[in-house]
Amino acid sequence: MDKNKLFLGFVTAALGLFLLISPEAFISFFVIILGVAAIIDGVFILAATRNLIYDPHYNRIVTVRGVLSVLVGGLSVALPVLVAAVVWKAMAYTLAVYLLISAGLQIYTITMLHRNGIMIRQSMIEVFCSLALALVLIVIPSDVAGNFIVRLMGLVLLAVGVGFVFIQWRNRPVTVMPEVVETVEEPEAEEAEDTEEKSE
């Protein structure tokens, strides 16, 4: 039985249970996590991506995208924590709009990177992820659809976690303890002892 996999199963099941019990808390937490990710992404954009191409238009667009990412991410983290619970819904929509704008700006920069012979596979993946997350953020603030989707995710995670724990428990090593332990002497040792007694 792998203890790491068993722990992962318990964590997955606990997360699924959390989603089932309190979808609103999870959604607000999800918005904050995305805000932190946006801040990290913005800092990375400003530090590393901005100078990939020596083109003023590219540098300007990437700078705008990086600064926008840091600002929106900072608001997404700060406002839901400091202000009323309603704010996280507004920040969910704000993050969705930001992700759509960021995807549009990134599509433009991808064309410029492609012209300069730079790999664009990772950038394309980021665009698709941004669009998918924007769609999720547009849907989940709805009281009916959002709660249904989150609870459905929770049910799936709970089932996966419980199944994982069950599989690990089922495959655990079984140790059988003997009821009686008997010591059997080897025949050669007994013959040697008999020979010594006779010689004496």
Side-chain angles (χ1 to χ4, degrees), residues 35-70:
V36 173
I39 294 172
I40 295 171
D41 185 51
V43 172
F44 177 77
I45 289 169
L46 294 173
T49 311
R50 184 171 52 173
N51 297 319
L52 283 176
I53 300 176
Y54 294 103
D55 185 301
H57 296 292
Y58 174 84
N59 292 340
R60 193 178 305 115
I61 289 173
V62 173
T63 302
V64 169
R65 182 168 166 254
V67 172
L68 186 65
S69 182
V70 172

Side-chain angles (χ1 to χ4, degrees), residues 3 6 11 41 57 61 67 90 95 99 103 166 180 182 184 192:
K3 292 182 178 179
L6 185 66
V11 170
D41 185 51
H57 296 292
I61 289 173
V67 172
L95 269 173
L99 288 170
F166 176 75
V180 179
E182 295 182 356
V184 179

Side-chain angles (χ1 to χ4, degrees), residues 34-167:
L34 280 182
V36 173
I39 294 172
I40 295 171
D41 185 51
V43 172
F44 177 77
I45 289 169
L46 294 173
T49 311
R50 184 171 52 173
N51 297 319
L52 283 176
I53 300 176
Y54 294 103
D55 185 301
H57 296 292
Y58 174 84
N59 292 340
R60 193 178 305 115
I61 289 173
V62 173
T63 302
V64 169
R65 182 168 166 254
V67 172
L68 186 65
S69 182
V70 172
L71 290 176
V72 174
L75 288 174
S76 301
V77 173
L79 287 181
V81 173
L82 299 176
V83 194
V86 180
V87 175
W88 71 261
K89 290 188 177 183
M91 286 314 307
Y93 290 123
T94 303
L95 269 173
V97 172
Y98 151 73
L99 288 170
L100 292 174
I101 294 173
S102 177
L105 293 174
Q106 195 167 8
I107 289 172
Y108 177 76
T109 58
I110 283 173
T111 58
M112 301 185 74
L113 290 172
H114 185 62
R115 289 176 194 166
N116 287 269
I118 297 175
M119 294 289 292
I120 60 171
R121 182 180 177 182
Q122 183 177 351
S123 298
M124 291 295 295
I125 294 172
E126 289 179 12
V127 169
F128 286 121
C129 289
S130 295
L131 294 175
L133 286 172
L135 181 62
V136 170
L137 288 169
I138 290 171
V139 173
I140 61 173
S142 170
D143 292 333
V144 178
N147 289 347
F148 173 76
I149 291 173
V150 172
R151 283 198 167 98
L152 184 62
M153 288 171 55
L155 189 62
V156 171
L157 287 175
L158 182 61
V160 170
V162 170
F164 214 65
V165 170
F166 176 75
I167 290 171

